[in-house]
Amino acid sequence: MITRVFFFACALTMAFVAPSSAVSTVTVTNVWSRPATGTGAVYATIRNSAATSDALVSASSSVAKTVELHESTPVSSGSMSKSMNGGMQGMPAMAMHPVKFIAVAAGASTMLKPGGYHIMLIGLRHDLKAGESFPLTLRFRTAGDIHTVVHVRSMTQ
Amino acid sequence: MLSLSWNARRAMALFCIAFSTTSCSAQPHFDGTTVHKVAPTFTLTDQYGKQFNLTDQRGYEVVLFFGYTHCPDVCPATMATLAQAVNRLTPAERQRVRIAFVTVDPDRDGPAMLGRYVRLFNPSFYGLTGTERELDPVYRAYRVFHQKLPGTKATGYLVAHGSTIYLIDPRGDERVLHEWSDSVDAIAHDMKELVS
C-alpha cells in the first residue's frame, strides 16, 4: 500500500513538474537575417517533435517596432484583380501577404526561407549590419515562447 | 599548278573548318532564358539625383531588377544574389557591368532611400526612380507586373511585382532573362558571357 501511494505521488509529481522542466517540443535552428534598413526579414528552420501539430503565432524583437508573419507567393495569372496594362501577362511576379500563423506539423519541420514564409521586421530601430546578432522571441500556440538569437549574415553568404 | 591549287584548296578548307569551329565555340551559351531584341531605352533618376539613360550605358552590360525598398524578402534576396554574382566576376569584367534596381514604388522610394538601400548590397549598384509618368512606360516596355496590395497598419501597402532579372549586353540588346530565385552560379555565368 505504501509502495502504491509512493508511486502515485511520484506520478503526480512527474505530471506537474515534467512539462515545465522538459525540453521544448519545438526547436528553432539556423536563424538568420540579412543587412537591412527600414524593413527586414528573419528566416529559420522550425522543428516540432510533438505528436500534435503546433503553429508559430507571433514574434517580437527589440530591433523592430513591429514584427509580423508574412508569406511570399508567386502571382498566378488571373489572381490579381486588375489587368496588367495589357502585354504584361506571362512575366513571372511575386506577391507578399501577412499570415496569422505558420503551422508546423507533428514530427515535421517548416522552413522559413526567401520566397516563402518569413518573419518580417518593420520599423527597424537601427540598420542591421553583417555579423551582428539580435534577440527574437517566437510564440507558439502549444510550445509557448522560445527565445532565440538572429545572426545577420553578410550579403556574400 | 594543279598540285599547288589542290594544296591551296586544302589549306583553305582546313582554315574554314578551323574558323567555323572557333566561331561555334565562341557562340555564347546562356543558363537563363535567351531573348534578342533592342532593350527599350529610358531615362530615370539615380540615387545621386543624376539622370540614368540606358542608351548612355552602351559599352556596359546592364542588369535590371524591378522592386521596392519596403520589400523585405524577394527584393533583398535577389539583390544579394546579384551582389554575389558580381563578386564572381574578374575586376575587369566587374567594371563593365552596371546593376540597377528600378523601383515599383516611387511614392516611397526617392533617391535618398534607394541610395541607402542599394549600398547594403554593393555601393556600385544603382537605385533608379522617377515620376509615375516616367516609370510607367518602362514597366510597360519590360512587361513588369506591379500592383499595390493592402498590407497591415505597420507595413502600409505592399506591392506585388515582376520578379525577372534582365541582362542587357554592352550593345544595348536585351539578351538573357533570369528569375529572382535562379542560382548565383547561373546568373554569374551569363553575366560573364555578355562581357567576355
Side-chain angles (χ1 to χ4, degrees), chain B residues 18-151:
Chain B
F19 181 75
S20 66
T21 311
T22 314
S23 335
C24 276
S25 64
Q27 284 294 312
H29 161 78
F30 296 111
D31 287 344
T33 305
T34 52
V35 282
H36 206 149
K37 57 179 182 177
V38 175
T41 194
F42 57 80
T43 302
L44 294 171
T45 304
D46 71 16
Q47 68 265 41
Y48 308 107
K50 290 184 181 158
Q51 302 269 288
F52 182 103
N53 175 271
L54 187 68
T55 311
D56 291 345
Q57 312 307 316
R58 293 281 158 83
Y60 296 95
E61 176 182 341
V62 177
V63 179
L64 297 178
F65 184 70
F66 295 80
Y68 67 118
T69 66
H70 281 64
C71 167
D73 185 39
V74 167
C75 295
T78 311
M79 296 308 284
T81 296
L82 293 178
Q84 289 168 48
V86 164
N87 284 347
R88 304 270 177 97
L89 306 180
T90 65
E93 289 168 340
R94 220 172 286 159
Q95 284 190 346
R96 295 190 62 205
V97 177
R98 291 184 168 170
I99 311 283
F101 177 84
V102 185
T103 186
V104 292
D105 184 14
D107 292 343
R108 292 186 294 196
D109 289 344
M113 184 70 202
L114 283 161
R116 277 202 303 280
Y117 184 74
V118 295
R119 247 195 320 276
L120 292 169
F121 306 96
N122 185 317
S124 75
F125 286 7
Y126 288 85
L128 305 181
T129 188
T131 61
E132 273 184 34
R133 229 173 135 174
E134 290 166 330
L135 283 161
D136 276 343
V138 185
Y139 303 146
R140 267 201 300 277
Y142 287 88
R143 302 195 305 147
V144 179
F145 174 83
H146 60 102
Q147 186 173 66
K148 283 185 184 175
L149 301 172

Side-chain angles (χ1 to χ4, degrees), chain A residues 34 39-41 43 66 68 72 80 82 84 87-89 91-96 98 114-115 118 120 122 155-157, chain B residues 69-70 72-73 77 80 84 87 120-121 139 143-145 147 149 152 154-155 158 160-164 166 179-180:
Chain A
R34 283 198 191 82
T39 58
Y43 306 101
T66 310
E68 295 180 352
S72 296
M80 292 287 153
K82 287 177 188 165
M84 302 180 257
M88 292 188 196
Q89 286 87 346
M91 292 298 271
M94 294 291 291
M96 187 180 79
H118 55 275
M120 186 169 172
I122 305 147
M155 285 300 176
T156 50
Q157 274 182 288
Chain B
T69 66
H70 281 64
D73 185 39
Q84 289 168 48
N87 284 347
L120 292 169
F121 306 96
Y139 303 146
R143 302 195 305 147
V144 179
F145 174 83
Q147 186 173 66
L149 301 172
T152 64
T155 62
L158 303 168
H161 60 89
S163 52
T164 301
Y166 302 77
E179 257 317 283
W180 76 275

Side-chain angles (χ1 to χ4, degrees), chain B residues 2 13 77 80 91 121 124 150 183 185:
Chain B
L2 190 70
F121 306 96
S124 75
S183 73
D185 282 346

Side-chain angles (χ1 to χ4, degrees), chain B residues 1-10:
Chain B
M1 178 66 186
L2 190 70
S3 159
L4 189 69
S5 170
W6 185 85
N7 273 340
R9 271 190 230 166
R10 190 164 172 247

